[in-house]
Amino acid sequence: MNGPFAFTLALGDDALIAAQRLAEWTTRAPEMEEDIALANIALDQLGAARLLLSYAGELEGAGRDEDALAYLRDDREFRNCLLVELPNGDFAVTMAKLLLLSAYQLPLYTALSRCADERLAAIGGKARKESAYHLDHAALWVKRLGEGTPESHRRMQAGIEEVWPYVGELFAGWPQAPVDPATLRADFDEVVSAVLAEATLTVPESAWAPAGGRDGLHTEHLSYLLAEMQVLHRAHPGARW
Amino acid sequence: MYGNDFAGEDAPGGLLGEVEAAEAELRTAAERDRGAPGPEEDLAAYFTAVVDADQKIEPRDWMPEAYRRTLIRQIAQHAHSEIIGMQPEGNWISRAPSLKRKAILLAKVQDEAGHGLYLYAAAETLGISRDELVELLLSGRQKYSSIFNYPTLTWADVGAIGWLVDGAAIVNQVPLCRCSYGPYARAMIRVCKEESFHQRQGYEILHTLAHGTSAQRAMAQDALDRWWYPSLAMFGPPDGDSTHSAQSMAWKIKRFSNDDLRQRFVDMCVGQAEVLGLTIPDPDLRWNEQRQAYDFTQPDYAELMRVISGDGPCNRERMAHRRRAHEAGAWVREAAAAYAAKQASKEKVPT
Amino acid sequence: MSSSGSSPLWEVFVRARRGLAHTHVGSLHAPDAELALRNARDLYTRRQEGVSIWVVPAGAITASSPDEKDAFFDPAADKVYRHPTFYDVPDGVAHL
């Protein structure tokens, strides 16, 4: 698989699966105002996914558009990181996921906005502003939950611990990609550890570092997510919507 | 692309034109404001004079207690409808058949949350808190529109809700842009402007399905068959049985009768259904030259009453879903309040 | 504040475009100022209606009384300002 295609597809899948998970919160958020905020973030992720998947389809040159890539691949063909496919859990787990994802996407999109590929640079330029907002939103809630009540502190620490092992995969070296994620780890650590410290939370330690998403080896959760997402599209082959 | 505009021959610019006219009228009425009542002026007479002159009553004005209660009930039920109304469509976000449709639907359901919040805020100007309103909904003491107690069984239902349910809602709401109570009128102007996109997206979904594969076409017709009469019932009981109408009309909270609005909606839909190539499930639907309107079969009002009283297909699920979300979020709201209190006390204590 | 107790009310003012004053657009609930500002962005500027937002605790606003007879109308006199009005942001409301 060529470098730019695989990389663009991986980023597009990250954004798509993140959007699908965040949209599950619609009608279920802790406050109606937060329902709107989570939908906004889901819409940003979905927007980035559409741009990235469309471009991936062009790079591939096999005539697949965003919908063909989103709806007609099986779980073994998806290239998203494992973090985004994990279930939402409670609000603390979702905010932990969002904190880690946005602290990864922000430096990634920022670096991408300066890369040689003009299309990727344009997508990175647009998406990094959105990521900055997502990071801000997640950090704001992590602080409130970390410092809020004993229960929220406990849940927030547990949420961070639950998703922390999946960080390693995000920064695995990918030297032939337009941006090598390994170069972004220091930025990530700086941002995340500052947020956690302010929230009176502890940075977890984990020797266990599951990976495989970039090679299409996922958790058991992805297949269910895709089954739901793809069911209608696949039931009507070739139909327009 | 497809809007109410081609059905709006009686009003230039269609319903959206009427919203803009209502907004312009609101500004004109503001310019001829009569100022505060004089020291000897009777407050009730002043209230009546303002309403009769098509000017707006504002939050701190004197108003009859029944006017306040009627408005609180109506605005709150409207707000509840927006919030509960997110569920039937939200049901299809995860399965939307293209990424474009997914984005549009998510944005639409998000708008509904926004509309609910605009309306709760308008109700709060009448001296009731959002907590109280939420409690009234969760305890079942205030209702929401009965239409949201019907299930969304196929993707075409998302189209039918946009076209028929949002269409009926707009026909209902456009006159409310002229409501005598300022905050409600202004909220409705904002809501109606945003909702014009909702109806168009629904119509576009059905248009695409109706011109798609035979399975898609059948799906579209089935949705129209199931949503037609419940949509007609959205305008409420027939005028003869409507208890609140006369007083609300005098107060200019309501501008047209239930039956007038229902007729208007039917007259709009007939042409739109023809363009879709779908059949409205009413064998007695026909143009009446004398009335210059369509004759049509009335919805089953006994069914409407059953659904309102709690025995619709989804009443229990909708309420259980809302209660569950509210309860599951309690610890988050507590945490945010505790954090705010801690921050506030830090600011007060000099270090 | 009880667990179900709602967070404070904030009044929201939006500058629609450069050169215009901030205009009151509505209100919302949020536990603190930072969240109020975020919520205001999401609720009142979903369609690019603004370039700048203010949020003000509703309780911090002192409202004039329209007249002496204001005391006649008094279901909750302790609330100085009875919340929002919905001045629609002029122009710039993009709708399809």
Side-chain angles (χ1 to χ4, degrees), chain B residues 224-238:
Chain B
L224 173 54
D225 292 347
R226 281 182 290 111
W227 290 92
W228 175 252
Y229 287 105
S231 299
L232 294 188
M234 283 176 72
F235 295 93

Side-chain angles (χ1 to χ4, degrees), chain A residues 16 19-20 23-24 26-33 35-37 39-40 42-43 46 49-50 53 66-67 70-71 90-92 140-141 143-145 147-149 151-152 155-156 198 225 228-233 236-241, chain B residues 83 86-87 90-104 106-107 109-110 113-114 117 120 130 134 155 204-205 208-209 211-213 215-216 219 321-322 325-326 328-336 338-339 342-343 346:
Chain A
L16 176 61
Q20 182 78 1
E24 289 173 14
T26 303
T27 74
R28 294 180 175 87
E31 276 282 22
M32 287 177 263
E33 282 84 353
D35 218 294
I36 294 176
N40 254 357
L43 280 166
L46 185 54
R50 295 181 62 194
L53 292 179
E66 60 179 43
D67 286 333
Y71 290 96
D90 66 7
F91 188 67
L140 193 136
W141 271 113
K143 283 178 212 168
R144 276 156 185 73
L145 298 180
E147 276 207 77
T149 62
E151 183 188 7
S152 71
R155 286 182 186 248
M156 195 61 242
E198 208 183 325
L225 180 149
E228 184 173 340
M229 185 174 87
Q230 298 174 337
V231 60
L232 175 60
H233 186 98
H236 300 264
R240 285 181 55 248
W241 300 98
Chain B
I83 297 301
M86 295 166 70
Q87 290 182 37
N91 182 35
W92 282 91
I93 292 172
S94 67
R95 293 172 292 169
S98 73
L99 296 186
K100 179 183 152 196
R101 292 285 174 215
K102 189 190 288 288
I104 292 172
L106 184 52
V109 175
Q110 183 198 38
L117 293 184
Y120 280 127
R130 187 159 110 198
V134 167
W155 170 250
E204 195 186 78
I205 287 173
T208 308
L209 293 175
H211 295 82
T213 65
Q216 286 178 308
M219 196 191 281
H321 182 106
R322 192 66 237 140
H326 188 74
W331 69 272
V332 177
R333 297 192 298 274
E334 275 169 39
Y339 177 87
K342 280 182 197 171
Q343 294 302 111
K346 269 187 208 162

Side-chain angles (χ1 to χ4, degrees), chain C residues 8-80:
Chain C
L9 190 71
W10 302 75
E11 300 299 332
V12 182
F13 299 78
V14 172
R15 183 199 297 288
R17 286 188 305 278
R18 246 161 232 298
L20 297 179
H22 284 76
T23 305
H24 186 229
V25 293
S27 64
L28 51 77
H29 288 271
D32 58 55
E34 251 186 318
L35 272 172
L37 201 54
R38 277 10 170 243
N39 291 346
R41 169 198 183 265
D42 290 337
L43 183 57
Y44 288 104
T45 64
R46 290 198 303 287
R47 288 168 167 76
Q48 285 97 46
E49 292 99 331
V51 294
S52 162
I53 303 174
W54 292 344
V55 290
V56 182
I61 294 178
T62 308
S64 68
S65 210
D67 69 290
E68 292 297 314
K69 292 178 178 175
D70 193 49
F72 279 77
F73 153 55
D74 193 15
D78 56 327
K79 291 182 182 167
V80 280

Side-chain angles (χ1 to χ4, degrees), chain B residues 68-78 142 244 248:
Chain B
R68 177 190 308 280
R69 276 200 312 272
T70 301
L71 274 170
I72 288 178
R73 192 193 66 237
Q74 184 173 333
I75 300 172
Q77 294 187 352
H78 196 158
Q142 279 185 342
H244 306 294
S248 286

